[in-house]
Structure formats: C-alpha cells, structure tokens
C-alpha cells in the first residue's frame, strides 16, 4: 500500500509479503529514504539524490498506473551500498536530520547508511 502526505512531503510504502515485508518512507522534506526490512530487523537510510528519485507527485502517478495497468516499466534503476551507521541510535542530532517519520520507523534498530 502507498500513502502520500502532501502536507508533510512524505510517501509511505508498506509491502506485506511474508518474509519480504517492509516499510519504506520517502521523506522529501528532509531528503532521505528509510526502509525497515522486518526479516532482517534493520533499517536502511539513504540520502535522496533529486536526479535519481521521482518527485512526490510522480510516485502517486506511478502507483496509480501500476494499479490501473497492473504493470509498470521504469528505466530508472538505483544501486546503492550501505555501511553501518556511526552512532545513529544514540545521537539525537542524527534523528533531527532524518526527521520524525524516519525516527519512528527506525528507532531502536541497527541503522545502515
């Protein structure tokens, strides 16, 4: 499921698929994406590159197209490499940088940037 909050500039994607379940937050206000992978009990945070990520309005359009057409093609692939975060769990300044939505998603989990 996809929820878009235009006032907070956040898209929240919930994938319910057993072992592969996850929650992802696209926080356009703070410029970060966070994914919580439930099977790994970990959170992955990525700084958005505005050239690589679709605009918030486009995410809604793509979701609508996928629902309507049942198939979506995107030539945009993004490959990233994560490293363990330094002190994200204990450093309050880090949570201010990521925003409260990502803090609520990732609090008390190992964080990878």
């Amino acid at each position: 499921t996809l929820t878009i909050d235009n006032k907070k500039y956040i898209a929240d994607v919930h994938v319910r698929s057993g072992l592969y379940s996850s929650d992802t937050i696209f926080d356009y206000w703070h410029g970060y994406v966070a994914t919580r992978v439930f099977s790994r009990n970990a959170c992955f945070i990525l700084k958005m590159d505005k050239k690589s990520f679709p605009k918030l309005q486009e995410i809604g359009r793509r979701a609508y197209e996928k629902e309507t057409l049942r198939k979506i093609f995107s030539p945009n692939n993004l490959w990233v490499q994560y490293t363990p975060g330094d002190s994200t769990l204990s450093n309050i300044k880090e949570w201010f940088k990521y925003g409260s939505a990502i803090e609520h998603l990732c609090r008390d989990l190992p964080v990878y940037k």
Side-chain angles (χ1 to χ4, degrees), residues 70-83:
R70 290 286 175 201
K71 183 176 181 184
I72 187 167
F73 170 76
S74 174
N76 304 323
N77 291 318
L78 179 67
W79 292 93
V80 297
Q81 180 177 351
Y82 290 96
T83 57

Side-chain angles (χ1 to χ4, degrees), residues 11-94:
D12 195 353
V13 179
H14 304 283
V15 176
R16 299 292 176 254
S17 182
L19 185 62
Y20 303 105
S21 295
S22 66
D23 279 348
T24 300
I25 292 178
F26 294 84
D27 188 332
Y28 283 84
W29 185 265
H30 293 92
Y32 286 92
V33 177
T35 300
R36 179 176 181 175
V37 181
F38 293 106
S39 66
R40 303 230 10 224
N41 198 30
C43 202
F44 300 90
I45 299 176
L46 173 69
K47 180 143 181 74
M48 282 185 180
D49 175 10
K50 294 185 181 188
K51 296 176 187 174
S52 301
F53 283 88
K55 293 182 179 181
L56 184 60
Q57 296 80 4
E58 190 175 338
I59 288 178
R61 181 185 59 77
R62 288 184 184 187
Y64 175 77
E65 288 174 356
K66 183 172 183 174
E67 182 66 28
T68 303
L69 303 174
R70 290 286 175 201
K71 183 176 181 184
I72 187 167
F73 170 76
S74 174
N76 304 323
N77 291 318
L78 179 67
W79 292 93
V80 297
Q81 180 177 351
Y82 290 96
T83 57
D86 298 333
S87 59
T88 304
L89 291 177
S90 61
N91 192 343
I92 294 201
K93 287 189 278 186
E94 290 287 314

